[in-house]
Amino acid sequence: MFGKKAQPPIKSLIAHGTRIEGHLHFTEGLRIDGEVIGDVRARSDEPSMLVISEAAVVQGEIHADHVIVNGTVRGPVHARELLELQPKAQIAGDVTYRALEMHQGAVIAGQLQPLALGEGDEKPLLKLAANNS
């Protein structure tokens, strides 16, 4: 599973106050603090991580290995490995994942769909994060 491998480094940042209109392709790690109107895609041939912070808004499809959301996404999310939904995550769209971690307060307005299992894979992991209050 993804947690056993080294996490790819975050090498790119879309800062708060920045708005990008158009499709975005990245390698390794990307953090979004601003707004993206368009699809956000990581290369599928190497490990990737996408972080969508509390203030961020993404309107479009998301494709990456490890996706961490604490902001707003309007569109489908495809996490090839792990999808982490932090307490302020708001997703309006369908979600596909291999493993899902969802904190109390996160909201998904769409369908949850685990990725098809390959030979030798275990059942998809669904982990509910403990309430720390």
Side-chain angles (χ1 to χ4, degrees), residues 26-27 41-48 63-65 80:
F26 72 97
T27 59
R41 291 180 181 267
R43 287 181 54 155
S44 60
D45 60 343
E46 58 186 59
S48 60
H63 293 266
D65 288 336
R80 292 184 289 265

Side-chain angles (χ1 to χ4, degrees), residues 70-114:
N70 199 25
T72 302
V73 177
R74 295 184 195 108
V77 177
H78 306 279
R80 292 184 289 265
E81 293 295 333
L82 174 62
L83 174 61
E84 291 183 50
L85 300 178
Q86 300 293 322
K88 297 191 178 179
Q90 301 277 325
I91 297 177
D94 294 342
V95 172
T96 58
Y97 59 90
R98 185 164 316 280
L100 174 66
E101 180 176 324
M102 186 170 183
H103 289 255
Q104 184 175 353
V107 176
I108 300 172
Q111 293 185 357
L112 295 169
Q113 183 67 41

Side-chain angles (χ1 to χ4, degrees), residues 9-63:
I10 302 287
K11 291 190 171 182
S12 302
L13 169 69
I14 298 170
H16 182 73
T18 302
R19 178 180 172 150
I20 294 180
E21 295 183 18
H23 301 310
L24 202 63
H25 296 268
F26 72 97
T27 59
E28 296 187 282
L30 169 65
R31 179 182 171 102
I32 300 174
D33 291 340
E35 184 176 4
V36 175
I37 312 296
D39 297 347
V40 179
R41 291 180 181 267
R43 287 181 54 155
S44 60
D45 60 343
E46 58 186 59
S48 60
M49 176 187 286
L50 174 63
V51 178
I52 299 171
S53 75
E54 183 179 334
V57 175
V58 176
Q59 295 182 48
E61 277 191 52
I62 291 175
H63 293 266

